Amino acid sequence: MIIYSGRFADGSSVTGNLFSFGAAVSWTAYTYFYEKIHNSSIWTTLEIMLWGLLFSAPFALSEILLFKRPVVFSFGAVSGILFLGIFASALGYIMWNKGIDLWGGKAATLWVYTIPVFTVIADIVFLGNSPSMLFFTGSALVGAGMLLVIGREYRRLVSHDNTNR
């Protein structure tokens, strides 16, 4: 509702939607397993990133060797990789893991629903596009859903804390 603004069929691809669904499933699995194994946000994040590097390296090498893709070390390529590695990956995972440590997996996952809202806000601010009415409707639904769940969790925690005194 927020992203497509009623134009779901225009420019939508089945493959892209399947990849997005796969990303959501893998993110759910990541959150679940992190909640089970964590012991320190930074060290666990480092270990997870090293495992990711180990398992993604064969795919990168196959792209270079089998598909003869050139390796480009331009300023733009290197700075893009550093930006993604530091901000999108390292800091993103550290903050996500800290959120899981503080709130638990269910409550931390609520914030994923704000990604489309912030994406459209960035589209408005940086590209000058105008939001549709569905953006406001969808954003209000996301906000209401988050307030509902956060309020319920807060009341549960407060009542649990009062019963343990």
Side-chain angles (χ1 to χ4, degrees), residues 3 7 118-131:
I3 296 290
R7 301 179 313 260
F118 287 110
T119 301
V120 173
I121 290 171
D123 182 53
I124 294 164
V125 171
F126 296 114
L127 300 178
N129 292 326
S130 331

Side-chain angles (χ1 to χ4, degrees), residues 29-120:
Y30 172 84
T31 300
Y32 174 78
F33 288 115
Y34 176 80
E35 201 171 21
K36 298 292 181 205
I37 66 166
H38 78 285
N39 53 15
S40 164
S41 292
I42 293 175
W43 291 112
T44 304
T45 302
L46 178 62
E47 184 179 355
I48 289 168
M49 291 182 76
L50 290 174
W51 281 108
L53 179 63
L54 178 72
F55 282 104
S56 65
F59 295 103
L61 289 174
S62 70
E63 239 185 84
I64 294 167
L65 300 174
L66 297 176
F67 299 112
K68 307 291 185 218
R69 305 267 173 138
V71 178
V72 179
F73 289 105
S74 68
F75 176 76
V78 172
S79 60
I81 289 170
L82 287 173
F83 174 81
L84 289 173
I86 294 168
F87 293 104
S89 295
L91 288 176
Y93 278 109
I94 288 169
M95 288 188 284
W96 181 258
N97 294 344
K98 193 63 176 172
I100 293 172
D101 290 343
L102 294 171
W103 286 59
K106 284 188 238 176
T109 302
L110 280 176
W111 292 98
V112 169
Y113 296 113
T114 65
I115 291 172
V117 176
F118 287 110
T119 301
V120 173

